[in-house]
Amino acid sequence: MKNYSLVLLRFASVFGLIGAILGAHMAGAGSYAFRPVHAHILVVGWLSLFAWAVYYKVFQTKKTVTAKIHVWSAIIGTVGLTFGMWLYMVKPFNLPEVITLVLYIGGGVTLLISYIIFCFITLVYKEDR
């Protein structure tokens, strides 16, 4: 599971950097417009992906289709949720609301699926004896 751990760790570091930059921008600008996006990028993007990276490194689960779906749904869901949230709340490109809402909700649902899969993975995990 080294590969899954490393992939999740790298994405977590990117989200951590983006979240820190957003926080610095908000502090410097004196505007908190990005607060929900900043919080979600750090909690789901940095913290959750990092925690899952540690899980796959420590518990050495088998490489299964379920684990692969978990890892990629976590990454796709995190990107979709945070990017969709930014588009929906900040409206930087003045896109139709239906497009931004579909991306926002689609990312959130995909991320929720990854949490459900992770819960399943941890419930069926068995240590080698």
Side-chain angles (χ1 to χ4, degrees):
M1 285 312 226
K2 284 184 188 177
N3 295 341
Y4 291 156
S5 180
L6 187 58
V7 167
L8 287 166
L9 185 65
R10 287 180 175 162
F11 272 96
S13 72
V14 169
F15 279 107
L17 178 62
I18 293 168
I21 290 169
L22 274 178
H25 170 74
M26 288 189 305
S31 168
Y32 295 102
F34 293 113
R35 187 173 44 202
V37 179
H38 163 74
H40 281 79
I41 282 175
L42 288 176
V43 172
V44 226
W46 180 79
L47 187 61
S48 293
L49 295 182
F50 181 80
W52 290 332
V54 171
Y55 171 82
Y56 283 115
K57 185 72 172 179
V58 170
F59 288 94
Q60 299 295 317
T61 59
K62 294 178 183 168
K63 270 195 174 180
T64 62
V65 173
T66 308
K68 186 174 189 174
I69 292 170
H70 167 251
V71 168
W72 289 107
S73 64
I75 292 167
I76 292 166
T78 300
V79 170
L81 174 74
T82 56
F83 186 66
M85 180 183 283
W86 175 67
L87 289 175
Y88 182 76
M89 293 184 163
V90 180
K91 300 179 188 345
F93 306 119
N94 207 17
L95 296 170
E97 188 172 317
V98 69
I99 292 173
T100 60
L101 198 56
V102 165
L103 187 58
Y104 185 11
I105 293 171
V109 168
T110 305
L111 188 60
L112 179 60
I113 290 167
S114 81
Y115 274 95
I116 292 167
I117 293 169
F118 181 71
C119 182
F120 173 77
I121 288 170
T122 61
L123 292 174
V124 298
Y125 173 77
K126 293 183 178 130
E127 287 189 35
D128 293 333
R129 293 180 189 225

